[in-house]
Amino acid sequence: MSGQTTITTIDYHTGGEPFRIVADPPVEIPGSTVAEKRMNAIGSEAIDGLRRLLVFEPRGHADMYGGFVTAPDDDGADLGVLFWHKDGFSTACGHGTIALGTWAVESGLVSAAESGVTDVVIDVPSGRVTATVHTDPDGEVTSVDFINVACRVIASDIEIDISCDDEAQKSTMGREESNSGRQSISVDLAWGGAIYACLDADRIGLTVVPENLNELISLGRQVKTALADHPLSQHRSDSRLSGVYGTIIVNRLGLGPGGELHQRNVTVFADGQVDRSPCGSGTAARIGILHASGELAASQTLLHESIIGTRFRASVLAEAKDGVIATIEASAHKISTCTFVVDPRDELVPGFVLR
């Protein structure tokens, strides 16, 4: 951050999950595509230093999320974005895409169509996505449909071992401790712009509620660690997209009042970071799994609920060559415009995290 004294951000939330937009990053981000920009950012002290400044305390927190707006890959998109969180730069972010679509229309970067339906096309590291922004007759944004890259099941019923040494965790999950202090569980792997491990919490007697947050974080971290070197966690065509990004822990809640398939989840991503929303790209991954298994009917909606009770509505938009295209309906809201100051006398630049 040499020579920089202020950084301006526009902060939104989507379903309770923060998204900090840096519309004009004060550092150069080289690369001919957004995917290349991400790899260059990972190895750049200046770019990664800006990320740390905005996500670390005291300016951010362990669960902060955001993105640097960049040029798109070509004229076919309106903008590009580098998504970031506490631990680095991610390949996809559905809630961030929804926030960016809202911001693009509200800021005038993309003019709202008279029809009330405006496509904002965004290049992200995993591909090209669309935020279809709906506006009322006064031009106010009412909702956004996030159309993701094709999502698919990678593998089902992968057996992994996790620790059950923690007494609170054993009690919450209702499991007997094995002689080794470990328990075998089954997970699915799916692609939704990032690789997710999906775990059926009902099978292990675990409820996705805030009171169980510590146990959920521990479980999410263990699942990700157990799959770190698994060959199925390698992206089949682009090594830059390899690795399990997060663990989706799910409760099945039956059917909603309109016949929707109702599920509650918490997505634990990066190193123990918790998504407050139902998770956009994670919801797309769930659509891939539920469609492949036949649990979600062709015309049925998934009512996907977060750990804090916010909801996304998702469904299959179209069949793809390998999987399906998911569309996810949600809304994002602006909460602040911030000007952060970098004081050269401040010993806590870029900051710190306690988790």
Side-chain angles (χ1 to χ4, degrees):
M1 294 305 301
S2 176
Q4 298 295 328
T5 58
T6 62
I7 304 97
T8 298
T9 69
I10 308 97
D11 286 17
Y12 277 73
H13 84 85
T14 306
E17 179 70 359
F19 193 74
R20 178 162 285 169
I21 299 170
V22 186
D24 186 18
V27 294
E28 181 182 358
I29 306 177
S32 59
T33 66
V34 173
E36 287 183 9
K37 289 180 173 72
R38 174 176 177 262
M39 298 309 296
N40 290 331
I42 291 171
S44 166
E45 177 58 34
I47 304 168
D48 194 54
L50 179 61
R51 173 193 67 83
R52 287 180 284 134
L53 183 81
L54 295 174
V55 73
F56 285 3
E57 295 183 56
R59 297 168 186 84
H61 52 80
D63 294 290
M64 177 55 69
Y65 213 110
F68 300 142
V69 175
T70 74
D73 293 357
D74 55 51
D75 292 339
D78 297 296
L79 68 146
V81 62
L82 292 186
F83 297 120
W84 43 258
H85 49 73
K86 173 176 65 71
D87 299 296
F89 294 88
S90 55
T91 60
C93 177
H95 91 273
T97 300
I98 292 165
L100 281 167
T102 305
W103 164 77
V105 170
E106 290 183 340
S107 68
L109 179 69
V110 176
S111 298
E114 292 184 3
S115 65
V117 180
T118 306
D119 283 345
V120 179
V121 183
I122 304 171
D123 283 330
V124 307
S126 58
R128 180 163 286 176
V129 299
T130 301
T132 299
V133 182
H134 300 270
T135 51
D136 64 18
D138 296 323
E140 299 292 330
V141 176
T142 57
S143 65
V144 177
D145 298 332
F146 162 47
I147 302 172
N148 197 22
V149 298
C151 50
R152 66 181 187 276
V153 178
I154 298 171
S156 300
D157 296 324
I158 302 171
E159 293 291 326
I160 61 173
D161 287 338
I162 63 168
S163 170
C164 56
D165 290 336
D166 184 271
E167 292 298 328
Q169 186 179 16
K170 287 186 291 184
S171 174
T172 302
M173 293 184 178
R175 294 196 302 258
E176 296 291 335
E177 183 180 8
S178 66
N179 292 332
S180 64
R182 302 192 66 80
Q183 175 74 29
S184 178
I185 61 172
S186 176
V187 301
D188 300 330
L189 279 182
W191 170 259
I195 297 174
Y196 288 94
C198 296
L199 168 64
D200 189 337
D202 298 322
R203 292 184 181 179
I204 56 176
L206 181 61
T207 305
V208 177
V209 291
E211 293 80 3
N212 292 336
L213 185 60
N214 289 338
E215 289 78 18
L216 293 163
I217 292 172
S218 175
L219 179 60
R221 279 174 157 165
Q222 288 194 65
V223 170
K224 182 174 179 177
T225 298
L227 292 166
D229 297 320
H230 199 290
L232 289 171
S233 69
Q234 301 304 304
H235 192 275
R236 61 188 180 187
S237 61
D238 189 342
S239 62
R240 297 174 299 185
L241 305 176
S242 292
V244 173
Y245 174 58
T247 303
I248 304 172
I249 305 169
V250 178
N251 287 141
R252 286 170 165 80
L253 303 178
L255 297 179
E260 308 96 334
L261 189 64
H262 188 192
Q263 299 188 352
R264 181 188 299 121
N265 92 97
V266 65
T267 300
V268 182
F269 63 96
D271 183 18
Q273 197 160 337
V274 177
D275 198 326
R276 274 73 171 152
S277 81
C279 187
S281 54
T283 296
R286 287 296 297 162
I287 289 288
I289 289 174
L290 296 169
H291 175 267
S293 69
E295 188 173 351
L296 183 73
S299 59
Q300 194 175 24
T301 295
L302 171 64
L303 188 63
H304 215 204
E305 185 173 319
S306 74
I307 192 171
I308 65 168
T310 54
R311 295 176 174 182
F312 290 171
R313 299 178 65 88
S315 60
V316 173
L317 179 65
E319 300 279 346
K321 180 180 179 181
D322 183 16
V324 292
I325 305 295
T327 180
I328 300 159
E329 180 187 1
S331 59
H333 303 278
K334 183 178 179 180
I335 55 177
S336 67
T337 298
C338 303
T339 300
F340 292 100
V341 176
V342 180
D343 186 339
R345 301 166 298 176
D346 188 349
E347 296 178 353
L348 291 179
V349 172
F352 61 93
V353 287
L354 291 178
R355 191 184 76 226

